[in-house]
Amino acid sequence: MTTNAGAPVWNNDNSLTVGSPILLEDYHLVEKLANFDRERIPERVVHARGISAKGFFEVTHDISQLTCADFLRAPGVQTPVIVRFSTVIHERGSPETIRDPRGFAVKFYTREGNFDLVGNNFPVFFIRDGMKFPDLIHAFKPNPKSNVQEYWRVMDFFSHHPESLHTFTFLFDDIGVPQDYRHMEGSGVHAYTLINKAGKVHYVKFHWKPTCGVKCLLEEEAIKVGGANHSHATQDLHDSIAAGNYPEWKLFIQIMDPDHEDRYDFDPLDTTKTWPEDILPLQPVGRLVLNKNIDNFFAESEMLAFNPALVVPGIYYSDDKMLQGRLFAYGDTHRHRLGPNYLQLPVNAPKCAHHNNHHDGYMNFMHRDEEINYFPSRYDPTRHAERPPIPPVVISGRREKCSIEKQNDFKQPGERYRSWAPDRQERFIRRLVDSLADPRLTHEIRAIWVSWWSQADKSLGQKLASRLNVRPTM
C-alpha cells in the first residue's frame, strides 16, 4: 500500500498521534480523508441509475452499398463496444422497477474513432424540439418544494403538448417496466444519415432486438421484485454474463431515401413518430454480444460518457430538431460533470491513434513532449485527414422559430392502441386513469387529455371520459 505519490504506507489502521491528539503531519490520513471527501462526482441529471457491460459488435449483413463506415465494411468485422443501460428520471440509488424510459447507449470503439449510438428502449420521444427538454425533465422530476415525484405535474406539462401521446402509449403500456435489461429492445430514436463512398445519402433508424425476447413486469410483479432487490436488473445483467449466458441483440435498420421525405403524412425527422415497417422494413445488419462485466463501476459506468455528436465517416446527423439539440447538450454536461478532458478517461478515449492541439485544463493527464502545439507548422508533419463524405444538401431560408408542418399527433398513438389485445388496452387505460385522477389536476386538464385520446381512438376517449367523469373539449 502506498500514498498517491507512491510512498509506502506502513500503517493504514491508526492515525499518527502525540498522546490523544492527531497530528496534521499525518500525510496519509489527510490524503485518505481528502480523497474520500471528494470521491463522489455530480450525479447525472438524467440517466443517473445505470450499469455497463462490455462486448463486441459483429457485422452479419453487407450494407457497404449504404455506408463507407469502416466498422460496417463487411460481414465478420468485429468492433469492441461498451453499453450502458439506465433509467431516466430517478436518482443513482433508485429502484430499477420504476415505470420510466430506459436508456440503451452503445459506444463503438472503431478504427476511425468512437461512434456513440445513444438511444432508449422506446422508438419515439415525448417532444420533437430540444427547447422543451429542460421543462420536460423538470415536470418528471420530484416537486422542488416537496421532493416527491407527482404525476399531476407531468400531466399538466404535457397537456400543452399533444405530440407526447405516442410516447405515452409506450410508457403506460406493459413495456413501461422491463423485466430486466437483457429482455429489452433498444432504439436510436432519431433519424441519422448513412453515406456511401459515392456520396449517396440515406436516412436511417437503428433498432436493437434482444434474441431472448422482450419481457416486462406488471404492477404486482414490479412491487414484488423491487421490494426484494432494488438493483435486480443490474444483478441480472452481471450474473448472466458471469455465468456465460451472454446477452445478445440483433441490430436492424430502416432506410429511407431523403427524396421520399414528403411522401408521408408525418415528418420522418420528427422523434415523436415511428417509420411504418410495412413500407420501410427492418433490415438486419449485425449482432451485439455482451460477454464481459466491467471491472470497476465508477471508472466504467459513472465516468462513462456518451455523446450523439460522436459519429464516424459514413454516418452523419440529420435535421431532426431533437438530435440537433442533443449534439450540444451531451458534451456540455460531460464537461461540467467530468471536466474538459473527459475524453481522456480510458473508458471514453478512442482505441485508435488520435492527435490534436487541445491542451491543458483540469485533469489533463496526457503526457506530451512536443514543441509544436499549433497548426499548420513546417516543423510538424500533422496534416488534414481525408475529407469524409457528408450530406451535400444546400440549405437556405430565413431565421425563424417554428414548429414542423406535418405534426399528425393522433394517428400513430391510435394505431398502436388498436393493435393491442383487450386486456392490454385495459391495463393501459387503468394507468392513464390513475395518473389523470390525481386530485391536483383540474377538470380542464382532464378534459384536454380526454379530447386528445378521443382523437387518437374514439372508444378509448369514451372509456376515459366515463371513468374520469369528464366530457372532451373537442
Side-chain angles (χ1 to χ4, degrees):
M1 179 170 289
T2 71
T3 67
N4 285 344
V9 173
W10 60 273
N11 188 327
N12 192 39
D13 297 315
N14 303 289
S15 303
L16 183 64
T17 60
V18 173
S20 296
I22 296 174
L23 298 182
L24 189 61
E25 71 183 57
D26 189 342
Y27 173 81
H28 174 57
L29 171 68
V30 173
E31 180 185 83
K32 185 176 182 180
L33 292 178
N35 275 268
F36 175 76
D37 293 343
R38 295 164 175 80
E39 70 181 26
R40 293 291 183 268
I41 61 176
E43 184 175 286
R44 288 173 169 89
V45 177
V46 288
H47 297 276
R49 170 57 129 145
I51 188 62
S52 306
K54 294 181 280 190
F56 65 89
F57 173 77
E58 180 181 15
V59 179
T60 56
H61 292 72
D62 185 8
I63 62 166
S64 58
Q65 77 281 6
L66 296 171
T67 176
C68 60
D70 177 73
F71 80 102
L72 298 172
R73 63 188 179 275
V77 173
Q78 290 190 359
T79 300
V81 301
I82 187 167
V83 179
R84 187 173 186 270
F85 304 102
S86 58
T87 60
V88 175
I89 294 301
H90 297 276
E91 64 274 8
R92 190 158 49 195
S94 57
E96 293 180 304
T97 48
I98 292 177
R99 183 169 298 276
D100 196 21
R102 298 315 194 253
F104 193 125
V106 184
K107 186 182 292 289
F108 299 81
Y109 298 105
T110 87
R111 301 192 305 183
E112 296 179 305
N114 293 352
F115 169 46
D116 286 0
L117 184 54
V118 191
N120 288 335
N121 65 323
F122 301 160
V124 289
F125 198 58
F126 296 96
I127 53 175
R128 57 171 68 98
D129 192 316
M131 179 68 80
K132 302 175 185 177
F133 187 76
D135 301 291
L136 176 159
I137 298 302
H138 286 171
F140 267 111
K141 286 285 190 180
N143 185 322
K145 182 176 181 178
S146 66
N147 199 39
V148 176
Q149 187 188 33
E150 298 168 344
Y151 252 84
W152 67 266
R153 291 162 39 81
V154 176
M155 307 314 284
D156 172 36
F157 172 73
F158 285 112
S159 70
H160 300 274
H161 302 297
E163 67 209 66
S164 66
L165 264 65
H166 200 185
T167 304
F168 275 106
T169 65
F170 289 86
L171 180 64
F172 284 173
D173 183 21
D174 293 346
I175 64 171
V177 183
Q179 175 179 293
D180 49 59
Y181 296 129
R182 292 183 299 122
H183 294 88
M184 185 178 83
E185 292 184 338
S187 172
V189 181
H190 302 288
Y192 289 82
T193 53
L194 294 183
I195 313 165
N196 64 18
K197 292 181 180 179
K200 173 61 179 174
V201 175
H202 287 90
Y203 290 145
V204 61
K205 284 205 170 191
F206 298 96
H207 302 273
W208 299 105
K209 304 289 184 181
T211 58
C212 58
V214 175
K215 296 181 181 180
C216 57
L217 298 174
L218 299 184
E219 280 76 357
E220 296 78 10
E221 297 170 308
I223 292 171
K224 182 178 179 180
V225 170
N229 180 2
H230 76 290
S231 298
H232 82 283
T234 292
Q235 184 169 355
D236 174 83
L237 182 67
H238 178 277
D239 291 353
S240 296
I241 295 174
N245 181 22
Y246 301 141
E248 181 174 335
W249 287 261
K250 302 295 186 183
L251 177 63
F252 295 86
I253 58 174
Q254 287 178 286
I255 295 295
M256 179 188 296
D257 191 322
D259 293 338
H260 301 165
E261 184 175 347
D262 294 330
R263 291 185 177 182
Y264 305 92
D265 60 2
F266 63 94
D267 188 330
L269 305 186
D270 179 353
T271 52
T272 69
K273 303 296 185 292
T274 54
W275 291 358
E277 293 182 17
D278 56 338
I279 300 174
L280 302 168
L282 296 177
Q283 303 180 33
V285 176
R287 67 187 187 115
L288 168 69
V289 179
L290 299 181
N291 59 7
K292 188 178 189 305
N293 281 309
I294 56 176
D295 301 309
N296 181 277
F297 174 78
F298 182 78
E300 295 178 293
S301 188
E302 278 301 287
M303 295 204 298
L304 176 59
F306 292 90
N307 187 346
L310 300 184
V311 294
V312 293
I315 301 176
Y316 204 69
Y317 324 117
S318 74
D319 291 339
D320 176 335
K321 295 181 73 174
M322 268 300 299
L323 175 59
Q324 290 289 325
R326 294 176 76 202
L327 299 181
F328 163 76
Y330 277 63
D332 188 55
T333 196
H334 300 324
R335 283 184 282 270
H336 161 69
R337 199 173 70 88
L338 300 171
N341 291 300
Y342 74 94
L343 286 173
Q344 290 185 18
L345 295 168
V347 72
N348 298 322
K351 307 302 182 187
C352 60
H354 56 287
H355 172 79
N356 55 52
N357 291 322
H358 304 333
H359 261 250
D360 306 336
Y362 289 111
M363 299 301 293
N364 187 324
F365 56 85
M366 183 180 294
H367 178 74
R368 305 176 73 158
D369 59 3
E370 67 267 27
E371 295 181 286
I372 307 301
N373 62 349
Y374 49 87
F375 179 89
S377 170
R378 291 183 174 85
Y379 296 93
D380 186 348
T382 300
R383 67 186 190 281
H384 287 123
E386 180 181 350
R387 178 179 176 177
I390 60 174
V393 177
V394 176
I395 301 173
S396 63
R398 66 177 185 179
R399 292 184 179 92
E400 57 183 334
K401 291 196 171 190
C402 59
S403 186
I404 66 171
E405 293 182 3
K406 290 191 287 187
Q407 298 188 359
N408 203 352
D409 292 325
F410 305 107
K411 180 181 178 182
Q412 291 192 359
E415 290 174 341
R416 179 169 167 80
Y417 171 79
R418 289 188 291 275
S419 72
W420 297 335
D423 60 331
R424 189 170 176 178
Q425 291 180 346
E426 174 59 29
R427 289 190 294 271
F428 175 74
I429 293 171
R430 187 178 67 243
R431 293 169 190 135
L432 264 180
V433 170
D434 287 345
S435 297
L436 291 169
D438 190 301
R440 289 289 298 272
L441 287 175
T442 65
H443 184 276
E444 176 193 14
I445 292 176
R446 292 193 186 100
I448 289 171
W449 279 101
V450 171
S451 296
W452 286 353
W453 286 114
S454 297
Q455 293 178 68
D457 183 89
K458 186 176 181 179
S459 65
L460 170 57
Q462 291 172 340
K463 291 175 182 178
L464 290 174
S466 174
R467 299 189 193 190
L468 292 168
N469 194 27
V470 298
R471 297 178 64 181
T473 57
M474 294 179 65

